[in-house]
Amino acid sequence: MTPREIELLTIAKLEHEGHQLTPADQREIHRSIQDGLAYRARLRSMMTSPAYQWKKPVTPRR
């Protein structure tokens, strides 16, 4: 499912349960879904990136 479909299904479920959603509520649902996607992308990139290896800086000769 796309993020837009998840958003619309969440809104439809809440309205079906009798909740009246304001535009601010809908923006909050949209923002939380986008935050989740960004978190997953950050976690995926962190887990797939190579391990950090520190190297001592080379001092230039004088």
Side-chain angles (χ1 to χ4, degrees):
M1 279 195 317
T2 66
R4 181 71 179 151
E5 290 173 339
I6 295 170
E7 180 182 342
L8 292 174
L9 283 172
T10 305
I11 291 171
K13 180 180 181 291
L14 289 170
E15 288 177 344
H16 180 72
E17 292 174 350
H19 297 283
Q20 296 251 343
L21 297 177
T22 64
D25 293 332
Q26 292 178 2
R27 284 193 305 272
E28 178 63 24
I29 292 169
H30 177 76
R31 186 198 60 77
S32 66
I33 291 171
Q34 294 302 317
D35 283 350
L37 291 173
Y39 173 76
R40 278 189 243 144
R42 282 193 308 271
L43 184 64
R44 184 180 309 114
S45 69
M46 186 174 61
M47 290 295 138
T48 58
S49 65
Y52 177 75
Q53 183 66 40
W54 184 81
K55 295 180 181 136
K56 186 174 181 178
V58 177
T59 57
R61 291 192 149 172
R62 292 184 183 185

